[in-house]
Amino acid sequence: MELSDHIKTANVEDVVLRRPFHPPTKGTLCVTGHHLLFSDRETDRQFLLLLRNIDAIEKRLPGASSGTITIKCKDLCVLHLDIPGMEQCLNIAQSIEALSSLECVSEMYPFFYRPHNLSLADQWGLSNLEQYHAQMEAPQERWRVSDVNRSYTLCPSYPPTVIVPKVIDDNMLSKVAKFRQGGRFPVLCYYHQKNGMVIMRSSQPLTGPNRKRCREDELLLQAVIDGSDKGYIIDTRSSQQAQQARMTGGGFESKSNYTGWKRLHRQMERGKALQESFIKLVEACGDQSNNMDRWLSKLENSKWLSHVQTALSTAGLLVECVERDGHSVLVHGSEGMDSSLLISTLAQLIMDPQCRTLEGFLALLEREWVEAGHPFQYRCAHSAYSHARLQQEAPVYLLLLDCVWQLWRQFPLAMGFSEALLLRLATEAYASSYGTFLCNNDQERLFPAVDSTCSTLGTGPRGDKEHDP
């Protein structure tokens, strides 16, 4: 099915656009395969909205002569379109609903966008693991770059290359991957040059109710703290949650099998609870009562700032373990694709001045979120306005950006960027002209998953491929 088949009515004249902080304007509305284009009749100015940015639409038909469509965007903007004619209004609404909810990756705008300055010869991205390994000056006799996951068979959500202890060979890594949920075995994400301590991240071990062991997993973690008296495991679940996970096949590292490691539990909300908190926050911000007590009550009930506080305090705990106490840390929750990435990113931002520069911060996000397998397509499928039933949506990435904003507000001179960058990054994650945040992991971006309505693709929206957008 072609994109044009979703368009019931392509152009409508005498449409009135109403949006915040702008006077109502009359003009022509045009629906394309990926955008809404509104042309102001008087000034010839144009307003362009990426359809992927639309989270929900609402129709109001007071009579047969006209109708109003309210568009609620993923970046939290709200627009109103007054359209003459009930039939035209319904056709426009149906077209927007169909085109804004495309699920096939190859039909999304990054596969059609052609920026003027595109150069296929330039390398895509800012982060290169081999280069990062050389820059962090980790002892070559202790750490190595492994391409054990080059075909993505060991761990579908990991990049092709990872940094691991040198004494652990690839055969051992294969066994460790089978013992960790989703194959996400412990990998190095940060080396602290001041004292040689490291931050590792992974998913939970699959000990199960029978308390299964993996000797290779134990050796890997022992190699991490070789020469040190102990290390810390920061589990982003409560102790009770970890115990419950063990009864369903998951688990945690026991003291008896992982000698030298001390486990610390810091519960962090995820999934549905975090998404609902974000929805309540947006509802509080949209309250029109102008009542301070009501606003503060709604803000508190959303619990969003509690999530921010928990994330920052847990990252602070990680920093204390590495910087002050001089111990290496392993961070994981259940899947290791959400709160683990959040905490490790914030800790690196706090400890490493390079990560607080513009290029260093972008490279950090690429390394710790894009390449590390945060499932953007699942987590950012909807924002706060969607009427769809919640599935795997969770604003973990937005929570990270809010935490970074809090740090920027406290230490503005320590950051090489402003809130404008954070706002842009938030918008791009939900709807973008580029393919950086498409799909759920590195493998899918190289070979996009397709459904029965899409043709098979051999390349993805990456600048180091032959046909990138």
Side-chain angles (χ1 to χ4, degrees):
M1 190 175 187
E2 298 293 332
L3 292 175
S4 58
D5 295 335
H6 295 291
I7 302 175
K8 306 297 182 184
T9 298
N11 296 280
V12 181
E13 299 287 344
D14 297 324
V15 174
V16 177
L17 170 65
R18 293 181 286 118
R19 51 185 174 141
F21 312 112
H22 293 80
T25 54
K26 180 178 286 189
T28 302
L29 179 68
C30 177
V31 182
T32 72
H34 296 101
H35 291 90
L36 279 183
L37 175 62
F38 181 84
S39 299
D40 190 332
R41 178 180 298 172
E42 296 181 358
T43 63
D44 289 332
R45 292 182 178 178
Q46 295 183 336
F47 172 74
L48 194 65
L49 175 65
L50 188 64
L51 288 169
R52 189 69 182 170
N53 191 21
I54 296 176
D55 203 30
I57 69 169
E58 298 172 358
K59 303 181 290 289
R60 188 168 62 87
L61 304 170
S65 60
S66 66
T68 299
I69 297 177
T70 299
I71 298 176
K72 297 183 176 181
C73 301
K74 294 176 181 176
D75 62 3
L76 308 183
C77 291
V78 179
L79 316 172
H80 304 277
L81 294 171
D82 297 330
I83 301 174
M86 183 176 68
E87 182 179 354
Q88 287 183 317
C89 182
L90 290 174
N91 286 344
I92 292 293
Q94 290 176 10
S95 302
I96 293 174
E97 286 177 337
L99 292 168
S100 63
S101 58
L102 296 174
E103 294 184 357
C104 182
V105 174
S106 63
E107 291 181 342
M108 296 180 184
Y109 187 57
F111 281 90
F112 298 81
Y113 180 52
R114 294 293 184 272
H116 297 297
N117 59 350
L118 175 66
S119 175
L120 295 178
D122 295 339
Q123 179 182 353
W124 182 89
L126 297 168
S127 178
N128 180 287
L129 195 70
E130 288 78 4
Q131 182 180 359
Y132 175 68
H133 181 237
Q135 289 176 345
M136 71 181 187
E137 300 178 1
Q140 300 296 320
E141 68 276 6
R142 286 202 60 198
W143 302 96
R144 68 181 179 94
V145 176
S146 170
D147 63 351
V148 65
N149 198 45
R150 56 188 174 275
S151 60
Y152 299 101
T153 54
L154 204 63
C155 178
S157 61
Y158 266 178
T161 56
V162 292
I163 302 175
V164 294
K166 194 167 186 177
V167 297
I168 306 299
D169 59 37
D170 288 351
N171 289 330
M172 298 175 72
L173 290 177
S174 299
K175 295 179 180 178
V176 176
K178 294 177 181 178
F179 185 67
R180 294 277 172 172
Q181 182 169 339
R184 294 178 68 88
F185 55 92
V187 297
L188 183 145
C189 63
Y190 178 69
Y191 177 84
H192 198 43
Q193 296 183 8
K194 289 184 179 180
N195 55 20
M197 298 299 106
V198 300
I199 299 175
M200 308 284 289
R201 49 173 165 75
S202 70
S203 60
Q204 66 176 341
L206 303 178
T207 56
N210 296 326
R211 303 175 186 267
K212 290 187 294 185
R213 296 180 59 178
C214 176
R215 182 59 179 164
E216 289 77 13
D217 189 80
E218 296 168 13
L219 289 174
L220 191 157
L221 291 189
Q222 188 60 41
V224 172
I225 58 172
D226 184 34
S228 177
D229 57 340
K230 66 177 177 180
Y232 288 100
I233 298 172
I234 296 182
D235 193 328
T236 60
R237 306 166 294 179
S238 66
S239 178
Q240 182 181 4
Q241 288 174 331
Q243 293 284 355
Q244 291 173 346
R246 193 180 69 183
M247 301 308 297
T248 57
F252 51 87
E253 297 82 358
S254 65
K255 295 180 181 179
S256 57
N257 298 334
Y258 294 85
T259 56
W261 287 90
K262 182 178 180 180
R263 196 172 66 252
L264 305 174
H265 290 277
R266 292 295 184 272
Q267 181 180 356
M268 298 184 63
E269 293 292 350
R270 65 202 78 208
K272 184 178 180 180
L274 193 60
Q275 180 70 14
E276 290 178 345
S277 173
F278 178 54
I279 292 172
K280 290 179 181 179
L281 173 68
V282 174
E283 289 177 353
C285 293
D287 186 86
Q288 302 293 325
S289 65
N290 296 322
N291 185 302
M292 181 60 71
D293 292 337
R294 180 184 174 91
W295 149 248
L296 291 175
S297 176
K298 284 192 170 185
L299 178 63
E300 183 179 5
N301 290 336
S302 75
K303 299 182 180 179
W304 180 261
L305 291 181
S306 297
H307 301 319
V308 172
Q309 181 186 26
T310 301
L312 288 172
S313 63
T314 306
L317 172 65
L318 198 164
V319 171
E320 288 181 1
C321 292
V322 174
E323 170 82 23
R324 188 189 67 184
D325 300 338
H327 298 297
S328 294
V329 177
L330 168 66
V331 184
H332 74 70
S334 296
E335 298 177 331
M337 296 188 292
D338 294 293
S339 56
S340 302
L341 307 183
L342 170 63
I343 299 310
S344 66
T345 302
L346 290 174
Q348 292 178 61
L349 189 70
I350 294 170
M351 286 191 290
D352 190 351
Q354 175 60 29
C355 292
R356 298 194 290 271
T357 66
L358 174 60
E359 185 170 335
F361 179 61
L362 295 178
L364 174 64
L365 293 181
E366 185 180 336
R367 188 172 63 249
E368 288 296 288
W369 289 79
V370 178
E371 294 181 352
H374 179 67
F376 282 98
Q377 187 170 347
Y378 289 152
R379 301 294 187 261
C380 301
H382 296 289
S383 184
Y385 292 124
S386 175
H387 304 302
R389 183 167 173 245
L390 294 180
Q391 296 182 10
Q392 299 190 50
E393 293 87 354
V396 186
Y397 183 67
L398 284 185
L399 180 60
L400 166 76
L401 297 178
D402 196 346
C403 291
V404 175
W405 184 85
Q406 301 289 345
L407 294 173
W408 172 78
R409 286 286 293 177
Q410 294 184 59
F411 310 101
L413 299 181
M415 305 292 184
F417 50 87
S418 69
E419 65 178 1
L421 175 68
L422 303 179
L423 289 170
R424 176 70 183 272
L425 288 169
T427 302
E428 294 290 321
Y430 282 89
S432 176
S433 301
Y434 303 92
T436 304
F437 298 108
L438 277 185
C439 305
N440 294 307
N441 52 58
D442 197 63
Q443 180 187 19
E444 289 185 10
R445 278 182 284 273
L446 290 175
F447 308 101
V450 293
D451 57 30
S452 58
T453 63
C454 305
S455 59
T456 303
L457 297 175
T459 57
R462 296 283 295 268
D464 54 354
K465 293 295 162 184
E466 185 177 357
H467 302 291
D468 86 296

